[in-house]
Structure formats: structure tokens, C-alpha cells
Amino acid sequence: MSQSTVTVTDVHREYQQGEFTVKALQGVSLSIEPGEFTVLMGSSGSGKTTLLNIIGGLDSPSTGSVEIDGQELSSMAANDLSDLRLHKFGFVFQAYNLIPVLSAFENTEFVPLMQGVGVEERKTRSMEMLKAVGLEGMENRLPSELSGGQQQRVAVARALAGNPMLILADEPTANLDSTTGKELIKLMRHLNEDKGVTFIFATHDPKVMDAAKRVIHLEDGRIVEDERR
Amino acid sequence: MLLQMAFRNLRRNLRRTIITSAAVAVGMIVLVMSNTLRAGQYDDMISSSVSQLAGHVVVQHPEYQQEQETELVVEDVDGLVAALKQEIPNTVITTRTRLGGILASSSSPTVIGLTAVDPLSEGKVSDMADKIVMGTWVQNDSKSIVIGQNMADLLQADLGDRLVFTTSVDGEMNSHLYRLTGVFRTGAEEVDAFVGYVSIASVDTVLGRPNTANQVAVHLGNASQTNAILERVERVVESQGRKDVAVQPWPEILPDVIAMIKVDQVSNEMISISLMFIVAMGILNTMLMNVLERSKEFGVLMAIGLKKGALVRMILLEAALVGIIGGLSGAVLGMMASYPIVVNGLDLTKMMGEGMVINGAVASTILYGRYDFLWIGGYILLSVLCAVLSALYPAWKIQQLTPVDAMRS
């Protein structure tokens, strides 16, 4: 049996907001297998983004454990976590979050550059990814010169350029029009099938849910349904 | 890539970058102008003091520096000068004896500080010979005397008039008759009313010690050779078997000048540091705003795997670039602004008269600047350092955030 890409065990996450304690996650456990295309569904405040952030090592659980490819995150130092994110994860955020001073190509190249990939391979890989997301010929444009959909495609290309084992996408279609959103989902599904990259989405977009192989429903910080398709 | 990003981030908010760099540049302009003027002033203070009061290397009685007594002399001056001329031919060697007394004309007497010199060599190094306004510089005879204009006015003496110099030697009063051959004007009243020059040969008879002098001084074209020449002078003195003399470089002869410059330098450095501190506060404010505005961007960078150390380096790099841009442009502008002072000088004669006395030597009141590239380079480094230091707090603040917190803010 192959090792799970992600194993979440009894994770709780509490925030202090003034005098109140907000329980964002309450005993979440799940495991994600390699090559899965999983959607975390739920209404706003259900804990899906918190769970995604904890899986991505961007946030820490109050209690419980998260293992990525067999490595326990809570025992890792900040720099090791950075390395883990750099080498194993790709992130796609709701608000594109590209580096505004870098061109589409440079944004895509940034992750392999930090990984220490050589110039030629970096260039080949980045161009390949931009081509895969349909941005051939727009490599030199700055994010401000691209539409929202195009920026999100660059974000996907950037997430893929580092050859990650897992892509975490938080509401990737939220700021896109319906057609662009559909195209992006199609693209990511294609990359999942073609390259075998594992995807986890946090979304309440039904279009994403329709494309998913597995849908995990969250409510008030708890998993209420885990549906495989 | 970090450098490239730092450059582009600065270009992204060009107006802010220009304003911040301009703050550094203004500080630099003030520092460079002030330093250029001071460097020139220090040079003038040293060169006028060395030429008028000492030499780059001085041979004198071991106690003369402390006591300043006319009786403390170097013996066989001619022999020493001849040997020095042979050992170090491309230098000027002066001999000086200083004595106080009364100078009297037919109408009135006055107190005088007389310096007996070898007129020819003294004329080559001391600019007193250039300040003659009437008659000529000291003649190489036993009668010639040159005095300041105020003293000449006080004595109501004209060229060719007889003046009697009286001094006490070993408890006895000795007199010598001079004729006024020249009058100088430095513009410094305390010099023009008190100082006179005669030939050293003329005081031999007054003092009863022929072939002696208080100081034998070696003057160099380049002060940086002082230590090398000092060793050669010491060798000459040693070869002559002289035990009763001290060979000293000019900083030991003119400690007050060195102290004055050091005190001035320290106060200048404090002003410089205060100025750069104010500039740094301005940069801190801008950097803090700049960094906090971009915290979401930094959060993304951390999220995709940029280590916090690299993030801090990028922020500090941006600040360093601001420091370099501001520092270099300020240095160039400061040098351009100082150029007229370097070439034409800053004329303070209307405010301070024609000359000013600094530690006993007459210095010009037209102040010439000199670019001190070592200091200017230091100021550029200081501006970069200030810029980097002022970015430490914003960088630390960002470093404290988790990627999620940074992206949320």
C-alpha cells in the first residue's frame, strides 16, 4: 500500500478573538492519497481554508498532527517547513498573489530558481508550464498587464513549475468569471491526470466540486461528509 | 533574483524611492561640503603651522619643546645643516632662534617676539616673505629687520629707520642696532603688532652664542614622507655623535594643532552621526510603511517557500540600494557644490580680516576646500549603513509574521 500524501489526525485549531475563542477546526482527521483531486467544501467559516493552511504548513494546529509524505510538520523548524513548501507544495491563492514586479515568466521561474534548478532547465520548465496554461507569448507581461484569469493561470504555472507532489488551491475560481473558472478547472484536472499531481481545493464553487474525484464537506470545523467519486 | 526584485520594488514606487534617496542625498551633501571645507582648513592649519613654527622634522634641544627658552640651543648648526643637505638634498632646511625683548625707535618702544632666521631658506617655506607690503624680506646681514605693519605704525618707523633691540641674556641686558628693511601685513593684529624677523647671523652677537639655533628644521614637499625623512635625520644626528638634541616629527612639535584638529573632527563626527540619525529616522518611517504595505506580498513569498532569512535580506537589500543611490548621488552633488570652494576658496576676509592666528601661526582667511575621498567614501558607507539599520526593524517585524498572518494583513 502506498504512503498517503497527507495524513491529518485529530486536528484542532482555535483562535483567540478578543475575549472569544473561535474553534476553526474540531478534531479533523483525513488522509489524501497520491494523485487525488480533492475538494474541501463548506460555507464561509466552515474551516476549509484553515485546514488547507495547516496542511500547507502555513499555519499550525492547536492540537493534533499533520504528516506530509510521512513527515510530521509540528516537529519541523521554520526553515525546514519553508523547504518543504518549496519542494513539495504548490500554492494557488484566491487573489492570484503573484509578485507584482516580476513578469509572468519570472513569477513562474521563481520557485525552480529558489529550488536551485539550473538556468536552462528552469527556462524550459517555466516555458512549458506557461504553454500548458495557455499563456504562450505573454511571458514578459507583468501581472498588472494580465487579466484576472490570466493571472490565475500564471499562479497555476508557478505552482506547477516546482514539480510539487501536492497543489493546494484556496478558492482559485472565486475571482474569475464563469467561463474562465471552468477553463482553469479543466486545466488543473488535465494536469492532475496527465502529470499525476495531487490537488486539494478549498472552495464552495460547484464547478470545482463537479470536477472533483473526492469531496469532503466541512461544517463548523468538522468533517460531515467524505464522498469519493 | 533578490537583487533584481529589490531594484524593481524600488522602481515600482519611484516617487517614494526618490524622496527617501533624496533625504539621504541631502544629508550626504551637507556632510561632503562640510568635510571638504574642513579638510582644506586642516591642511592650511597644518601647513601654516609647520612652515611658520616648526618644520616636518625638527632638531632641537631636548628641553626646548617644553621650556621654549632661548638659551636651549643646538650647537654647531652649520655642521648639522651641511650634513643634512648632503643626506637629504631635495629639502629645505631652516634654522630659527626665538627671543623676546624690546624694540625701540626714536619715538617709542614696544615689546617684540623676534624670530631670527636664515632669510633665504625661510623665504622658501614661510609665506611671511610674501606678505611684505613695504621694502623687502629680511636681508642676509646683521642689520636688517622686518616687522609687522601695526608695530611699524606704533614705532612710527619708516624703511631705513634705526631700531634698537634690547634683550636679557644670562641676566645682562644686550642691545643690537637694526635698520628697518621691510614691513609685512598678515591681517592678524596679534602678529602684525608683535612679531619681527631678523637674520640669524645678527643674533649670534646679541646672544654671544655663534653658530647655534633653537631649531633646525627640515621642510618637505610632501608631509607623508615625514617618517622616512625622520629616520634619515636621526642617522645624521647619530653619525655626528650628538647627544644633546632631540629629533622630532611635526606632530610632536605642534601637539596643540593636532589636538585642535582632533577635537574639531570629533565634534564634526558627532554632527555627522546626528545628521545621519535624522536621515535614518526618515528612512525608517518610509521603509516601515513600504514593508507593511507589502506584507501580503511577503506572506505569499514565505508561503511559496522563500525562507525568512532571504526575505530579510531582500528588505535590507532594498534599503541598502536606497543608501547607495542617495549616498552616491549626494556625494557627487556635494562635490559639485563644493567645487567653487576647492578652486576659488571661500573668502572670509570681510568677516575675519586678511589673516587669522591659529595656535601662533597665521592662516589665510580665504579657506580652500579639499576633497577627502577617504572620508567621502566613509560617508557613503555610513549612509548605506544607516539605511540598512533603519530597515532592520521593519524587516524584523515582517519576519515575526507567519505566512498566513502576513497574507491576511
Side-chain angles (χ1 to χ4, degrees), chain B residues 153-400:
Chain B
D153 292 343
L154 189 76
L155 296 172
Q156 296 174 11
D158 286 325
L159 290 178
D161 281 1
R162 290 176 180 187
L163 299 170
V164 176
F165 173 69
T166 305
T167 188
S168 166
V169 179
D170 299 332
E172 286 185 22
M173 301 303 284
N174 278 4
S175 292
H176 187 80
L177 180 67
Y178 287 101
R179 277 187 190 278
L180 185 62
T181 55
V183 174
F184 63 81
R185 188 179 68 214
T186 63
E189 198 181 332
E190 52 270 62
V191 172
D192 293 349
F194 181 67
V195 173
Y197 290 90
V198 295
S199 154
I200 198 160
S202 72
V203 296
D204 283 354
T205 52
V206 179
L207 297 172
R209 296 189 190 90
N211 199 16
T212 62
N214 292 138
Q215 287 180 329
V216 173
V218 181
H219 298 259
L220 310 172
N222 184 352
S224 65
Q225 296 172 332
T226 300
N227 287 338
I229 296 295
L230 179 76
E231 286 175 18
R232 293 168 73 176
V233 174
E234 280 172 339
R235 278 206 297 273
V236 169
V237 167
E238 207 172 309
S239 70
Q240 292 192 336
R242 290 171 182 267
K243 305 281 183 203
D244 57 342
V245 295
V247 181
Q248 292 169 284
W250 67 266
E252 287 181 20
I253 304 295
L254 303 165
D256 293 348
V257 174
I258 300 290
M260 203 183 290
I261 289 174
K262 279 192 177 158
V263 167
D264 194 66
Q265 274 176 334
V266 168
S267 67
N268 191 35
E269 279 162 23
M270 288 179 75
I271 292 168
S272 306
I273 289 167
S274 308
L275 184 69
M276 289 318 279
F277 180 76
I278 295 166
V279 170
M281 286 297 107
I283 304 173
L284 169 67
N285 187 34
T286 316
M287 283 305 295
L288 194 59
M289 260 165 45
N290 183 19
V291 165
L292 294 181
E293 270 176 17
R294 287 159 53 204
S295 50
K296 187 173 180 182
E297 192 180 314
F298 294 136
V300 173
L301 285 169
M302 285 191 267
I304 62 175
L306 188 71
K307 290 193 173 83
K308 286 184 174 181
L311 196 65
V312 169
R313 279 203 299 280
M314 191 176 82
I315 294 169
L316 297 185
L317 204 56
E318 280 181 32
L321 286 173
V322 167
I324 291 169
I325 294 166
L328 281 176
S329 57
V332 171
L333 291 172
M335 284 168 68
M336 283 166 70
S338 313
Y339 186 71
I341 299 172
V342 173
V343 176
N344 304 318
L346 180 65
D347 192 348
L348 299 178
T349 46
K350 280 184 184 163
M351 205 192 317
M352 301 177 72
E354 289 169 33
M356 57 183 167
V357 176
I358 299 174
N359 199 43
V362 181
S364 171
T365 48
I366 300 174
L367 307 180
Y368 285 89
R370 175 175 65 81
Y371 297 134
D372 188 333
F373 291 103
L374 201 66
W375 273 99
I376 292 172
Y379 287 143
I380 294 172
L381 286 181
L382 181 68
S383 62
V384 175
L385 187 72
C386 281
V388 171
L389 287 177
S390 63
L392 280 179
Y393 174 66
W396 174 81
K397 216 166 157 53
I398 279 295
Q399 205 228 12
Q400 295 299 302

Side-chain angles (χ1 to χ4, degrees), chain B residues 120-134:
Chain B
L120 193 65
S121 57
E122 191 71 24
K124 287 180 187 168
V125 295
S126 167
D127 53 5
M128 281 300 175
D130 301 329
K131 298 191 186 300
I132 298 292
V133 290
M134 212 159 56

